[in-house]
PDB file of all heavy atoms in Angstrom:
ATOM      1  N   VAL A 152    -121.869 -63.440  17.283  1.00 96.00           N
ATOM      2  CA  VAL A 152    -122.931 -64.441  17.224  1.00 96.00           C
ATOM      3  C   VAL A 152    -122.638 -65.498  18.280  1.00 96.00           C
ATOM      4  O   VAL A 152    -121.582 -66.134  18.260  1.00 96.00           O
ATOM      5  CB  VAL A 152    -123.015 -65.099  15.835  1.00 96.00           C
ATOM      6  CG1 VAL A 152    -124.038 -66.229  15.833  1.00 96.00           C
ATOM      7  CG2 VAL A 152    -123.381 -64.058  14.775  1.00 96.00           C
ATOM      8  N   ALA A 153    -123.549 -65.670  19.221  1.00 96.00           N
ATOM      9  CA  ALA A 153    -123.341 -66.611  20.328  1.00 96.00           C
ATOM     10  C   ALA A 153    -123.442 -68.054  19.847  1.00 96.00           C
ATOM     11  O   ALA A 153    -124.339 -68.399  19.079  1.00 96.00           O
ATOM     12  CB  ALA A 153    -124.363 -66.355  21.431  1.00 96.00           C
ATOM     13  N   GLN A 154    -122.526 -68.879  20.325  1.00 94.00           N
ATOM     14  CA  GLN A 154    -122.547 -70.299  20.007  1.00 94.00           C
ATOM     15  C   GLN A 154    -123.011 -71.140  21.189  1.00 94.00           C
ATOM     16  O   GLN A 154    -123.343 -72.312  21.039  1.00 94.00           O
ATOM     17  CB  GLN A 154    -121.145 -70.755  19.583  1.00 94.00           C
ATOM     18  CG  GLN A 154    -120.589 -70.003  18.391  1.00 94.00           C
ATOM     19  CD  GLN A 154    -121.425 -70.149  17.136  1.00 94.00           C
ATOM     20  OE1 GLN A 154    -122.039 -71.194  16.917  1.00 94.00           O
ATOM     21  NE2 GLN A 154    -121.470 -69.110  16.304  1.00 94.00           N
ATOM     22  N   THR A 155    -123.019 -70.546  22.381  1.00 94.00           N
ATOM     23  CA  THR A 155    -123.436 -71.261  23.584  1.00 94.00           C
ATOM     24  C   THR A 155    -124.430 -70.413  24.359  1.00 94.00           C
ATOM     25  O   THR A 155    -124.539 -69.196  24.153  1.00 94.00           O
ATOM     26  CB  THR A 155    -122.225 -71.568  24.489  1.00 94.00           C
ATOM     27  OG1 THR A 155    -121.683 -70.327  24.995  1.00 94.00           O
ATOM     28  CG2 THR A 155    -121.143 -72.326  23.723  1.00 94.00           C
ATOM     29  N   ASN A 156    -125.136 -71.058  25.282  1.00 93.00           N
ATOM     30  CA  ASN A 156    -126.087 -70.326  26.130  1.00 93.00           C
ATOM     31  C   ASN A 156    -125.372 -69.296  26.984  1.00 93.00           C
ATOM     32  O   ASN A 156    -125.893 -68.204  27.230  1.00 93.00           O
ATOM     33  CB  ASN A 156    -126.852 -71.305  27.016  1.00 93.00           C
ATOM     34  CG  ASN A 156    -127.839 -72.153  26.235  1.00 93.00           C
ATOM     35  OD1 ASN A 156    -128.290 -71.757  25.163  1.00 93.00           O
ATOM     36  ND2 ASN A 156    -128.156 -73.329  26.747  1.00 93.00           N
ATOM     37  N   GLN A 157    -124.171 -69.641  27.453  1.00 96.00           N
ATOM     38  CA  GLN A 157    -123.412 -68.705  28.290  1.00 96.00           C
ATOM     39  C   GLN A 157    -123.052 -67.445  27.506  1.00 96.00           C
ATOM     40  O   GLN A 157    -123.187 -66.322  28.012  1.00 96.00           O
ATOM     41  CB  GLN A 157    -122.138 -69.375  28.816  1.00 96.00           C
ATOM     42  CG  GLN A 157    -121.327 -68.472  29.745  1.00 96.00           C
ATOM     43  CD  GLN A 157    -120.083 -69.166  30.288  1.00 96.00           C
ATOM     44  OE1 GLN A 157    -119.763 -70.292  29.897  1.00 96.00           O
ATOM     45  NE2 GLN A 157    -119.378 -68.505  31.174  1.00 96.00           N
ATOM     46  N   GLN A 158    -122.603 -67.619  26.268  1.00 96.00           N
ATOM     47  CA  GLN A 158    -122.287 -66.469  25.433  1.00 96.00           C
ATOM     48  C   GLN A 158    -123.539 -65.629  25.173  1.00 96.00           C
ATOM     49  O   GLN A 158    -123.480 -64.392  25.198  1.00 96.00           O
ATOM     50  CB  GLN A 158    -121.687 -66.932  24.106  1.00 96.00           C
ATOM     51  CG  GLN A 158    -120.309 -67.551  24.225  1.00 96.00           C
ATOM     52  CD  GLN A 158    -119.816 -68.122  22.903  1.00 96.00           C
ATOM     53  OE1 GLN A 158    -120.602 -68.332  21.969  1.00 96.00           O
ATOM     54  NE2 GLN A 158    -118.527 -68.383  22.812  1.00 96.00           N
ATOM     55  N   ALA A 159    -124.651 -66.301  24.933  1.00 96.00           N
ATOM     56  CA  ALA A 159    -125.903 -65.594  24.684  1.00 96.00           C
ATOM     57  C   ALA A 159    -126.306 -64.749  25.892  1.00 96.00           C
ATOM     58  O   ALA A 159    -126.746 -63.603  25.752  1.00 96.00           O
ATOM     59  CB  ALA A 159    -127.004 -66.584  24.338  1.00 96.00           C
ATOM     60  N   GLN A 160    -126.159 -65.315  27.076  1.00 96.00           N
ATOM     61  CA  GLN A 160    -126.500 -64.591  28.297  1.00 96.00           C
ATOM     62  C   GLN A 160    -125.606 -63.373  28.487  1.00 96.00           C
ATOM     63  O   GLN A 160    -126.067 -62.301  28.888  1.00 96.00           O
ATOM     64  CB  GLN A 160    -126.385 -65.533  29.499  1.00 96.00           C
ATOM     65  CG  GLN A 160    -127.465 -66.600  29.535  1.00 96.00           C
ATOM     66  CD  GLN A 160    -127.253 -67.607  30.650  1.00 96.00           C
ATOM     67  OE1 GLN A 160    -126.284 -67.519  31.410  1.00 96.00           O
ATOM     68  NE2 GLN A 160    -128.148 -68.582  30.754  1.00 96.00           N
ATOM     69  N   GLN A 161    -124.327 -63.540  28.181  1.00 97.00           N
ATOM     70  CA  GLN A 161    -123.390 -62.426  28.323  1.00 97.00           C
ATOM     71  C   GLN A 161    -123.727 -61.294  27.356  1.00 97.00           C
ATOM     72  O   GLN A 161    -123.709 -60.111  27.731  1.00 97.00           O
ATOM     73  CB  GLN A 161    -121.956 -62.920  28.084  1.00 97.00           C
ATOM     74  CG  GLN A 161    -121.433 -63.847  29.170  1.00 97.00           C
ATOM     75  CD  GLN A 161    -120.074 -64.454  28.828  1.00 97.00           C
ATOM     76  OE1 GLN A 161    -119.632 -64.403  27.672  1.00 97.00           O
ATOM     77  NE2 GLN A 161    -119.417 -65.027  29.812  1.00 97.00           N
ATOM     78  N   LEU A 162    -124.055 -61.651  26.127  1.00 97.00           N
ATOM     79  CA  LEU A 162    -124.362 -60.635  25.124  1.00 97.00           C
ATOM     80  C   LEU A 162    -125.661 -59.903  25.445  1.00 97.00           C
ATOM     81  O   LEU A 162    -125.732 -58.674  25.340  1.00 97.00           O
ATOM     82  CB  LEU A 162    -124.442 -61.280  23.744  1.00 97.00           C
ATOM     83  CG  LEU A 162    -123.110 -61.743  23.143  1.00 97.00           C
ATOM     84  CD1 LEU A 162    -123.334 -62.589  21.893  1.00 97.00           C
ATOM     85  CD2 LEU A 162    -122.226 -60.546  22.822  1.00 97.00           C
ATOM     86  N   THR A 163    -126.680 -60.639  25.836  1.00 97.00           N
ATOM     87  CA  THR A 163    -127.952 -59.990  26.161  1.00 97.00           C
ATOM     88  C   THR A 163    -127.829 -59.125  27.410  1.00 97.00           C
ATOM     89  O   THR A 163    -128.427 -58.049  27.484  1.00 97.00           O
ATOM     90  CB  THR A 163    -129.074 -61.027  26.354  1.00 97.00           C
ATOM     91  OG1 THR A 163    -128.668 -61.989  27.332  1.00 97.00           O
ATOM     92  CG2 THR A 163    -129.384 -61.742  25.052  1.00 97.00           C
ATOM     93  N   SER A 164    -127.042 -59.583  28.376  1.00 95.00           N
ATOM     94  CA  SER A 164    -126.837 -58.787  29.597  1.00 95.00           C
ATOM     95  C   SER A 164    -126.149 -57.476  29.265  1.00 95.00           C
ATOM     96  O   SER A 164    -126.487 -56.418  29.819  1.00 95.00           O
ATOM     97  CB  SER A 164    -126.006 -59.576  30.610  1.00 95.00           C
ATOM     98  OG  SER A 164    -126.700 -60.714  31.063  1.00 95.00           O
ATOM     99  N   SER A 165    -125.184 -57.546  28.354  1.00 94.00           N
ATOM    100  CA  SER A 165    -124.466 -56.337  27.949  1.00 94.00           C
ATOM    101  C   SER A 165    -125.406 -55.345  27.285  1.00 94.00           C
ATOM    102  O   SER A 165    -125.353 -54.137  27.556  1.00 94.00           O
ATOM    103  CB  SER A 165    -123.333 -56.711  26.987  1.00 94.00           C
ATOM    104  OG  SER A 165    -122.674 -55.548  26.517  1.00 94.00           O
ATOM    105  N   VAL A 166    -126.283 -55.850  26.432  1.00 95.00           N
ATOM    106  CA  VAL A 166    -127.234 -54.971  25.744  1.00 95.00           C
ATOM    107  C   VAL A 166    -128.217 -54.351  26.730  1.00 95.00           C
ATOM    108  O   VAL A 166    -128.491 -53.145  26.694  1.00 95.00           O
ATOM    109  CB  VAL A 166    -127.996 -55.768  24.660  1.00 95.00           C
ATOM    110  CG1 VAL A 166    -129.178 -54.956  24.147  1.00 95.00           C
ATOM    111  CG2 VAL A 166    -127.074 -56.125  23.505  1.00 95.00           C
ATOM    112  N   ARG A 167    -128.731 -55.169  27.631  1.00 94.00           N
ATOM    113  CA  ARG A 167    -129.734 -54.669  28.574  1.00 94.00           C
ATOM    114  C   ARG A 167    -129.145 -53.721  29.603  1.00 94.00           C
ATOM    115  O   ARG A 167    -129.871 -52.911  30.190  1.00 94.00           O
ATOM    116  CB  ARG A 167    -130.420 -55.857  29.259  1.00 94.00           C
ATOM    117  CG  ARG A 167    -131.399 -56.579  28.327  1.00 94.00           C
ATOM    118  CD  ARG A 167    -131.887 -57.875  28.896  1.00 94.00           C
ATOM    119  NE  ARG A 167    -132.907 -58.489  28.025  1.00 94.00           N
ATOM    120  CZ  ARG A 167    -133.244 -59.756  28.063  1.00 94.00           C
ATOM    121  NH1 ARG A 167    -132.652 -60.571  28.943  1.00 94.00           N
ATOM    122  NH2 ARG A 167    -134.156 -60.245  27.238  1.00 94.00           N
ATOM    123  N   SER A 168    -127.847 -53.816  29.805  1.00 95.00           N
ATOM    124  CA  SER A 168    -127.208 -52.894  30.753  1.00 95.00           C
ATOM    125  C   SER A 168    -126.888 -51.547  30.107  1.00 95.00           C
ATOM    126  O   SER A 168    -126.466 -50.621  30.795  1.00 95.00           O
ATOM    127  CB  SER A 168    -125.915 -53.516  31.316  1.00 95.00           C
ATOM    128  OG  SER A 168    -124.966 -53.721  30.291  1.00 95.00           O
ATOM    129  N   ASN A 169    -127.087 -51.466  28.787  1.00 95.00           N
ATOM    130  CA  ASN A 169    -126.857 -50.211  28.067  1.00 95.00           C
ATOM    131  C   ASN A 169    -128.095 -49.873  27.220  1.00 95.00           C
ATOM    132  O   ASN A 169    -128.020 -49.824  25.988  1.00 95.00           O
ATOM    133  CB  ASN A 169    -125.624 -50.334  27.160  1.00 95.00           C
ATOM    134  CG  ASN A 169    -124.346 -50.511  27.952  1.00 95.00           C
ATOM    135  OD1 ASN A 169    -123.797 -49.546  28.468  1.00 95.00           O
ATOM    136  ND2 ASN A 169    -123.876 -51.745  28.038  1.00 95.00           N
ATOM    137  N   PRO A 170    -129.212 -49.645  27.891  1.00 96.00           N
ATOM    138  CA  PRO A 170    -130.468 -49.436  27.144  1.00 96.00           C
ATOM    139  C   PRO A 170    -130.438 -48.222  26.226  1.00 96.00           C
ATOM    140  O   PRO A 170    -131.069 -48.240  25.164  1.00 96.00           O
ATOM    141  CB  PRO A 170    -131.510 -49.286  28.253  1.00 96.00           C
ATOM    142  CG  PRO A 170    -130.739 -48.854  29.457  1.00 96.00           C
ATOM    143  CD  PRO A 170    -129.422 -49.540  29.339  1.00 96.00           C
ATOM    144  N   ALA A 171    -129.714 -47.178  26.606  1.00 96.00           N
ATOM    145  CA  ALA A 171    -129.684 -45.975  25.774  1.00 96.00           C
ATOM    146  C   ALA A 171    -129.025 -46.263  24.431  1.00 96.00           C
ATOM    147  O   ALA A 171    -129.511 -45.822  23.373  1.00 96.00           O
ATOM    148  CB  ALA A 171    -128.946 -44.859  26.500  1.00 96.00           C
ATOM    149  N   THR A 172    -127.921 -47.010  24.458  1.00 96.00           N
ATOM    150  CA  THR A 172    -127.221 -47.360  23.220  1.00 96.00           C
ATOM    151  C   THR A 172    -128.092 -48.261  22.354  1.00 96.00           C
ATOM    152  O   THR A 172    -128.156 -48.106  21.128  1.00 96.00           O
ATOM    153  CB  THR A 172    -125.891 -48.062  23.528  1.00 96.00           C
ATOM    154  OG1 THR A 172    -125.066 -47.177  24.299  1.00 96.00           O
ATOM    155  CG2 THR A 172    -125.165 -48.445  22.253  1.00 96.00           C
ATOM    156  N   THR A 173    -128.759 -49.207  23.007  1.00 97.00           N
ATOM    157  CA  THR A 173    -129.627 -50.133  22.276  1.00 97.00           C
ATOM    158  C   THR A 173    -130.772 -49.386  21.607  1.00 97.00           C
ATOM    159  O   THR A 173    -131.100 -49.632  20.438  1.00 97.00           O
ATOM    160  CB  THR A 173    -130.188 -51.198  23.231  1.00 97.00           C
ATOM    161  OG1 THR A 173    -129.106 -51.875  23.866  1.00 97.00           O
ATOM    162  CG2 THR A 173    -131.040 -52.203  22.478  1.00 97.00           C
ATOM    163  N   THR A 174    -131.373 -48.466  22.335  1.00 97.00           N
ATOM    164  CA  THR A 174    -132.457 -47.666  21.761  1.00 97.00           C
ATOM    165  C   THR A 174    -131.969 -46.839  20.585  1.00 97.00           C
ATOM    166  O   THR A 174    -132.641 -46.747  19.546  1.00 97.00           O
ATOM    167  CB  THR A 174    -133.058 -46.742  22.832  1.00 97.00           C
ATOM    168  OG1 THR A 174    -133.630 -47.531  23.879  1.00 97.00           O
ATOM    169  CG2 THR A 174    -134.136 -45.846  22.239  1.00 97.00           C
ATOM    170  N   SER A 175    -130.785 -46.244  20.736  1.00 98.00           N
ATOM    171  CA  SER A 175    -130.209 -45.449  19.644  1.00 98.00           C
ATOM    172  C   SER A 175    -129.966 -46.309  18.420  1.00 98.00           C
ATOM    173  O   SER A 175    -130.154 -45.866  17.273  1.00 98.00           O
ATOM    174  CB  SER A 175    -128.903 -44.789  20.100  1.00 98.00           C
ATOM    175  OG  SER A 175    -129.137 -43.859  21.135  1.00 98.00           O
ATOM    176  N   ASN A 176    -129.524 -47.547  18.649  1.00 98.00           N
ATOM    177  CA  ASN A 176    -129.289 -48.485  17.554  1.00 98.00           C
ATOM    178  C   ASN A 176    -130.579 -48.723  16.766  1.00 98.00           C
ATOM    179  O   ASN A 176    -130.606 -48.617  15.532  1.00 98.00           O
ATOM    180  CB  ASN A 176    -128.751 -49.798  18.137  1.00 98.00           C
ATOM    181  CG  ASN A 176    -128.391 -50.833  17.081  1.00 98.00           C
ATOM    182  OD1 ASN A 176    -129.165 -51.118  16.182  1.00 98.00           O
ATOM    183  ND2 ASN A 176    -127.224 -51.435  17.205  1.00 98.00           N
ATOM    184  N   LEU A 177    -131.650 -49.026  17.490  1.00 98.00           N
ATOM    185  CA  LEU A 177    -132.924 -49.329  16.838  1.00 98.00           C
ATOM    186  C   LEU A 177    -133.515 -48.095  16.158  1.00 98.00           C
ATOM    187  O   LEU A 177    -134.071 -48.189  15.057  1.00 98.00           O
ATOM    188  CB  LEU A 177    -133.904 -49.888  17.868  1.00 98.00           C
ATOM    189  CG  LEU A 177    -133.498 -51.229  18.493  1.00 98.00           C
ATOM    190  CD1 LEU A 177    -134.459 -51.605  19.625  1.00 98.00           C
ATOM    191  CD2 LEU A 177    -133.465 -52.333  17.443  1.00 98.00           C
ATOM    192  N   GLN A 178    -133.377 -46.948  16.795  1.00 98.00           N
ATOM    193  CA  GLN A 178    -133.879 -45.717  16.181  1.00 98.00           C
ATOM    194  C   GLN A 178    -133.091 -45.390  14.908  1.00 98.00           C
ATOM    195  O   GLN A 178    -133.664 -44.924  13.917  1.00 98.00           O
ATOM    196  CB  GLN A 178    -133.780 -44.563  17.172  1.00 98.00           C
ATOM    197  CG  GLN A 178    -134.754 -44.669  18.334  1.00 98.00           C
ATOM    198  CD  GLN A 178    -134.528 -43.592  19.390  1.00 98.00           C
ATOM    199  OE1 GLN A 178    -133.408 -43.070  19.538  1.00 98.00           O
ATOM    200  NE2 GLN A 178    -135.578 -43.252  20.128  1.00 98.00           N
ATOM    201  N   ALA A 179    -131.790 -45.668  14.936  1.00 98.00           N
ATOM    202  CA  ALA A 179    -130.951 -45.433  13.755  1.00 98.00           C
ATOM    203  C   ALA A 179    -131.372 -46.346  12.604  1.00 98.00           C
ATOM    204  O   ALA A 179    -131.310 -45.947  11.440  1.00 98.00           O
ATOM    205  CB  ALA A 179    -129.481 -45.666  14.103  1.00 98.00           C
ATOM    206  N   ALA A 180    -131.805 -47.561  12.952  1.00 98.00           N
ATOM    207  CA  ALA A 180    -132.280 -48.491  11.921  1.00 98.00           C
ATOM    208  C   ALA A 180    -133.514 -47.925  11.228  1.00 98.00           C
ATOM    209  O   ALA A 180    -133.639 -47.985   9.994  1.00 98.00           O
ATOM    210  CB  ALA A 180    -132.597 -49.846  12.542  1.00 98.00           C
ATOM    211  N   VAL A 181    -134.423 -47.359  12.016  1.00 98.00           N
ATOM    212  CA  VAL A 181    -135.631 -46.742  11.456  1.00 98.00           C
ATOM    213  C   VAL A 181    -135.257 -45.559  10.567  1.00 98.00           C
ATOM    214  O   VAL A 181    -135.785 -45.399   9.454  1.00 98.00           O
ATOM    215  CB  VAL A 181    -136.584 -46.298  12.574  1.00 98.00           C
ATOM    216  CG1 VAL A 181    -137.762 -45.510  12.003  1.00 98.00           C
ATOM    217  CG2 VAL A 181    -137.091 -47.503  13.355  1.00 98.00           C
ATOM    218  N   ASN A 182    -134.325 -44.741  11.039  1.00 98.00           N
ATOM    219  CA  ASN A 182    -133.902 -43.573  10.255  1.00 98.00           C
ATOM    220  C   ASN A 182    -133.213 -43.995   8.964  1.00 98.00           C
ATOM    221  O   ASN A 182    -133.392 -43.353   7.913  1.00 98.00           O
ATOM    222  CB  ASN A 182    -132.966 -42.696  11.085  1.00 98.00           C
ATOM    223  CG  ASN A 182    -133.672 -42.017  12.238  1.00 98.00           C
ATOM    224  OD1 ASN A 182    -134.881 -41.782  12.181  1.00 98.00           O
ATOM    225  ND2 ASN A 182    -132.946 -41.722  13.301  1.00 98.00           N
ATOM    226  N   TYR A 183    -132.436 -45.071   9.044  1.00 98.00           N
ATOM    227  CA  TYR A 183    -131.710 -45.544   7.859  1.00 98.00           C
ATOM    228  C   TYR A 183    -132.683 -45.990   6.764  1.00 98.00           C
ATOM    229  O   TYR A 183    -132.576 -45.556   5.617  1.00 98.00           O
ATOM    230  CB  TYR A 183    -130.770 -46.683   8.224  1.00 98.00           C
ATOM    231  CG  TYR A 183    -130.120 -47.309   7.010  1.00 98.00           C
ATOM    232  CD1 TYR A 183    -129.014 -46.711   6.398  1.00 98.00           C
ATOM    233  CD2 TYR A 183    -130.637 -48.476   6.450  1.00 98.00           C
ATOM    234  CE1 TYR A 183    -128.439 -47.273   5.260  1.00 98.00           C
ATOM    235  CE2 TYR A 183    -130.057 -49.039   5.315  1.00 98.00           C
ATOM    236  CZ  TYR A 183    -128.966 -48.430   4.729  1.00 98.00           C
ATOM    237  OH  TYR A 183    -128.400 -48.980   3.600  1.00 98.00           O
ATOM    238  N   VAL A 184    -133.621 -46.852   7.114  1.00 98.00           N
ATOM    239  CA  VAL A 184    -134.550 -47.339   6.082  1.00 98.00           C
ATOM    240  C   VAL A 184    -135.429 -46.204   5.568  1.00 98.00           C
ATOM    241  O   VAL A 184    -135.823 -46.200   4.400  1.00 98.00           O
ATOM    242  CB  VAL A 184    -135.414 -48.514   6.594  1.00 98.00           C
ATOM    243  CG1 VAL A 184    -134.538 -49.729   6.898  1.00 98.00           C
ATOM    244  CG2 VAL A 184    -136.239 -48.118   7.806  1.00 98.00           C
ATOM    245  N   SER A 185    -135.717 -45.240   6.432  1.00 98.00           N
ATOM    246  CA  SER A 185    -136.535 -44.100   6.010  1.00 98.00           C
ATOM    247  C   SER A 185    -135.848 -43.295   4.921  1.00 98.00           C
ATOM    248  O   SER A 185    -136.508 -42.638   4.098  1.00 98.00           O
ATOM    249  CB  SER A 185    -136.837 -43.190   7.201  1.00 98.00           C
ATOM    250  OG  SER A 185    -137.601 -43.861   8.174  1.00 98.00           O
ATOM    251  N   SER A 186    -134.517 -43.347   4.897  1.00 97.00           N
ATOM    252  CA  SER A 186    -133.754 -42.573   3.912  1.00 97.00           C
ATOM    253  C   SER A 186    -133.666 -43.265   2.554  1.00 97.00           C
ATOM    254  O   SER A 186    -133.238 -42.652   1.573  1.00 97.00           O
ATOM    255  CB  SER A 186    -132.336 -42.322   4.438  1.00 97.00           C
ATOM    256  OG  SER A 186    -131.577 -43.530   4.452  1.00 97.00           O
TER     257      SER A 186
END
Side-chain angles (χ1 to χ4, degrees):
V152 175
Q154 302 299 327
T155 66
N156 289 336
Q157 182 178 5
Q158 291 174 344
Q160 290 174 0
Q161 291 173 345
L162 289 170
T163 54
S164 295
S165 176
V166 168
R167 286 170 175 161
S168 63
N169 294 280
T172 300
T173 303
T174 297
S175 296
N176 183 311
L177 296 173
Q178 290 173 334
V181 173
N182 291 334
Y183 173 80
V184 295
S185 297
S186 70

